Amino acid sequence: MHAGAPAAPAACLNAREAAAFLQLNEKKLYELANSRELPAARVGGKWLFPRALLEEWLLEQAHGGALTDRLLITGSDDPLLAATVGALAPALGGEAFVAYSPTGTLAGLELLARRRASVCALHWGGVEHSAQQHAMLLRRFAPHRQWALVRLALREQGVILRRGLEVDGIETLAAFDYRWAMRQPGAGSAHFLASALASRGFAAADCSAVATAHTEREAAALVAREDADCAPGTRAAAAEFGLGFLALGWEAFDLALPRDVLFRRLFQDLLAAHGDARSQALANRLGGYDLSPLGRVLGLD
């Protein structure tokens, strides 16, 4: 740095600095921080306020939110949701921006918690316990009190099989030398597979893993290219690539998002597009979907 050059702004502000930056009194600042309405972290008994997140928070508060014209979706991969986003994006033109970048459930929730995404798609275990499991999963993250959970669909989960491969059960795939494309830790499909194997006396370590896929459709592509014989995933992903499928059960596919995003026009447009005639027809062609719960808001308590 040259002599006399101004110092770079601090990345984090203390309470006095943050109150001055936001033109609030410190009592009100602490109220907002304690209620998690304001981006802040408690470190060593003191509140710290990241400057970049405060600036973003101010934009969100201004005139309905300067970021209401974009919807960034992360988390679990899904062929039908990808198709919905693919149809919605060009329809919006230059008026708004919607994008879908799958990362797996836990990585997506981390991005949501850090305000790097607007929405996180998630699935974690069988449908019979999904309401409790998904609520427990969200409670791992500090901002969950400001989040809502919206059901998008029920999906059939299982194992994607290469063309021509016929097996009588997952035990055969685990016990013999079949090549697996496994999902990364923190992916909902990896969790579902581990539970299914454990209920039959096996573990993921018993399977011969030859590759790691970081999205549902990457897993299906590996099997379609015959780089692997099988991979955990949904019936829809298998059908999209013309592959076989071994069904293991149904799961809930939900969206986690901040409550202020829930009623934005852009998110409501996404839900409407996901339930329209085009989407329903594609769901029927792919198979393994039940869209009847679409749009149901679930409690986190």
Side-chain angles (χ1 to χ4, degrees), residues 205-224:
D206 297 319
C207 303
S208 299
V210 296
T212 299
H214 289 85
T215 69
E216 185 99 356
R217 297 159 95 195
E218 183 187 352
L222 285 166
V223 177

Side-chain angles (χ1 to χ4, degrees), residues 40 48 71 78 94 122 151 185 203 228 234 278:
L48 292 177
L71 197 67
D78 181 70
L122 64 117
R151 182 133 300 169
T234 60
R278 175 207 57 82

Side-chain angles (χ1 to χ4, degrees), residues 30-274:
Y30 286 128
E31 287 179 7
L32 292 171
N34 280 304
S35 64
R36 298 291 183 180
E37 295 179 57
L38 192 69
R42 198 170 180 86
V43 180
K46 295 182 179 181
W47 283 106
L48 292 177
F49 301 84
R51 180 186 290 271
L53 295 186
L54 287 181
E55 292 173 348
E56 183 179 306
W57 181 83
L58 276 175
L59 288 175
E60 281 287 293
Q61 308 308 307
H63 196 59
L67 304 181
T68 59
D69 63 347
R70 67 201 68 179
L71 197 67
L72 307 179
I73 306 167
T74 188
S76 299
D77 195 9
D78 181 70
L80 189 61
L81 180 56
T84 297
V85 171
L88 183 59
L92 294 169
E95 296 300 314
F97 175 68
V98 58
Y100 184 26
S101 180
T103 60
T105 290
L106 291 186
L109 287 171
E110 182 65 32
L111 288 169
L112 187 67
R114 297 178 64 188
R115 297 170 63 87
R116 297 296 182 263
S118 317
V119 181
C120 175
L122 64 117
H123 59 112
W124 203 254
V127 66
E128 61 276 8
H129 303 299
S130 61
Q132 300 93 326
Q133 289 295 319
H134 289 184
M136 288 175 59
L137 197 61
L138 266 58
R139 286 197 290 270
R140 296 186 190 181
F141 298 86
H144 77 271
R145 295 178 184 85
Q146 281 74 53
W147 290 352
L149 191 62
V150 179
R151 182 133 300 169
L152 201 61
L154 304 181
R155 308 190 306 180
E156 197 171 13
Q157 181 72 227
V159 182
I160 299 167
L161 305 174
R162 64 169 166 76
R163 298 176 186 91
L165 176 59
E166 295 183 8
V167 295
D168 53 6
I170 194 174
E171 299 89 344
T172 302
L173 294 171
F176 294 93
D177 197 23
Y178 289 99
R179 301 169 302 150
W180 285 79
M182 287 298 192
R183 295 296 311 281
Q184 78 277 22
S189 293
H191 177 72
F192 198 103
L193 176 67
S195 298
L197 287 168
S199 70
R200 294 160 173 83
F202 290 91
D206 297 319
C207 303
S208 299
V210 296
T212 299
H214 289 85
T215 69
E216 185 99 356
R217 297 159 95 195
E218 183 187 352
L222 285 166
V223 177
R225 295 196 300 264
E226 298 193 2
D227 293 331
D229 298 312
C230 52
T234 60
R235 180 180 291 278
E240 186 177 39
F241 284 80
L243 299 168
F245 183 72
L246 175 65
L248 295 177
W250 285 78
E251 63 181 9
F253 190 59
D254 293 345
L255 301 177
L257 66 161
R259 285 196 293 267
D260 64 338
V261 176
L262 179 61
F263 297 106
R264 287 184 186 175
R265 177 191 59 81
L266 194 51
F267 181 71
Q268 293 300 316
D269 287 349
L270 177 77
L271 292 183
H274 203 68

